[in-house]
Amino acid sequence: MKQTPLLLSFVMGLLSSCASTQICTRAITSSEPEALALVTASQKAHGSAAFERIRDLSVRYEGKWAAIGPRFQPMLVDSKFRGASEERIILSPRIMAQSHTGPGGVKKVLREPGQIAIAYNGTVSQDAESKQAAALVADAYALFLLGPSYFQQTGTVFAMNGESLVDEALCDEVLAVLRPGIGMAKEDRVILHIDRHSKRLRRVRLTLNGLDSTRGAEVDVTFRDFKSIDGVLWPTDFDERIRSPFKLHAHHWNLRGLESNRGLNARDLKLDRWTSTAAKPSAALSH
């Protein structure tokens, strides 16, 4: 409790001095041809032809939370359980299973179309806010991993949004409006920062409307250290920053393992148990 006044003073300072321009909220009902072509070019640059042959993915992450930023989004961060993770994705229809480990133990998540289930150390949780947060995280991590290929889903429209620099690379910005949004949100907005030269997706900035406590907030994630695996370009370094209502570093994590097409199906990914096919650790990335 003694830290609260200091923390509040810190927040007030951030709000007064670090306000950040938010993502455009103008109505967009259909895609602009230039924006759609740019997203398609980025998908091709990331290996869309090879990506179409992928049916399922097995990945492993390791990460570290920043000291201050996550304290403003504790339900979303869930840092006692979200340290390292093994994750499984069936691409169509999308099913995502996550096994997180942290100082608090093991958190299991099963994200299916229109559904979310979570368990902490083997005990299923029915807490509505925890489930909303888990759905947001699962969908967002699918976006971060799949990059431009994530934006093939129906209900997405695109518009040009200017230009920016990411790691000294000039990028064209495309605004994507997702309906439905990320997690339980009805709508979210994502700015794609697409390298003008290579067409790689270097950064995304997104709204977090799927959770009451983060509605109105925005974060960005920068992608680095791309690695080509089986014809698809994957980022292996992810850096997340809070961008609105203030600017703070939030999270840094790395992709440590990835393999595709184990032949996973929904029966392999139950909340309480993964089959041996799913449970086998993801193949480590070669350096």
Side-chain angles (χ1 to χ4, degrees):
M1 294 296 292
K2 292 181 180 180
Q3 294 179 344
T4 300
L6 178 61
L7 184 59
L8 289 175
S9 298
F10 183 71
V11 172
M12 294 304 295
L14 286 168
L15 290 175
S16 63
S17 64
C18 298
S20 178
T21 302
Q22 291 189 296
I23 294 174
C24 174
T25 58
R26 68 184 174 92
I28 302 172
T29 57
S30 60
S31 291
E32 297 176 1
E34 182 183 0
L36 183 57
L38 190 53
V39 173
T40 301
S42 183
Q43 291 169 347
K44 184 177 180 181
H46 281 253
S48 56
F51 183 83
E52 290 177 359
R53 297 191 290 270
I54 297 176
R55 298 293 175 260
D56 62 77
L57 289 162
S58 300
V59 298
R60 178 168 59 89
Y61 297 111
E62 293 178 357
K64 184 176 181 180
W65 295 100
I68 298 176
R71 296 174 64 181
F72 299 103
Q73 300 172 348
M75 184 63 67
L76 186 65
V77 170
D78 207 3
S79 60
K80 288 185 178 179
F81 291 90
R82 288 183 56 214
S85 68
E86 284 275 359
E87 311 196 4
R88 307 291 180 260
I89 308 173
I90 297 172
L91 292 181
S92 184
R94 186 177 300 146
I95 298 174
M96 189 167 192
Q98 299 172 311
S99 180
H100 299 277
T101 56
V106 177
K107 176 183 180 179
K108 292 288 188 72
V109 177
L110 181 60
R111 175 71 165 137
E112 299 177 278
Q115 301 180 59
I116 184 72
I118 59 175
Y120 292 94
N121 292 325
T123 300
V124 175
S125 173
Q126 299 297 343
D127 181 75
E129 189 176 12
S130 296
K131 293 173 74 172
Q132 289 176 353
L136 195 163
V137 169
D139 290 0
Y141 267 57
L143 187 163
F144 302 151
L145 178 67
L146 302 181
S149 296
Y150 180 88
F151 297 91
Q152 296 173 343
Q153 63 188 50
T154 58
T156 304
V157 294
F158 303 99
M160 297 302 297
N161 196 69
E163 61 184 37
S164 57
L165 285 174
V166 178
D167 292 339
E168 300 183 356
L170 181 61
C171 294
D172 293 301
E173 294 184 3
V174 174
L175 173 62
V177 182
L178 308 179
R179 303 187 187 98
I182 301 166
M184 303 299 188
K186 293 181 179 179
E187 176 184 300
D188 272 299
R189 295 185 172 225
V190 183
I191 296 176
L192 291 75
H193 300 252
I194 298 173
D195 189 305
R196 185 170 291 178
H197 173 67
S198 69
K199 304 307 181 199
R200 291 182 179 183
L201 180 61
R202 289 190 173 269
R203 176 179 290 163
V204 292
R205 176 167 173 164
L206 59 149
T207 58
L208 302 173
N209 293 330
L211 186 64
D212 289 343
S213 61
T214 60
R215 191 169 294 121
E218 297 174 9
V219 300
D220 70 26
V221 175
T222 302
F223 310 116
R224 300 185 177 99
D225 296 345
F226 291 88
K227 187 175 183 63
S228 180
I229 303 173
D230 297 330
V232 179
L233 198 63
W234 307 96
T236 66
D237 184 281
F238 304 80
D239 196 62
E240 179 183 359
R241 300 176 299 171
I242 301 169
R243 302 300 292 168
S244 180
F246 40 75
K247 297 180 182 180
L248 278 174
H249 186 248
H251 191 203
H252 179 264
W253 71 100
N254 294 100
L255 179 66
R256 299 300 191 192
L258 182 147
E259 59 184 281
S260 61
N261 294 337
R262 287 188 179 183
L264 297 175
N265 58 55
R267 294 185 298 275
D268 293 306
L269 302 173
K270 301 300 183 183
L271 182 65
D272 59 344
R273 186 181 65 86
W274 294 358
T275 65
S276 58
T277 301
K280 179 183 176 183
S282 303
L285 296 182
S286 58
H287 296 287

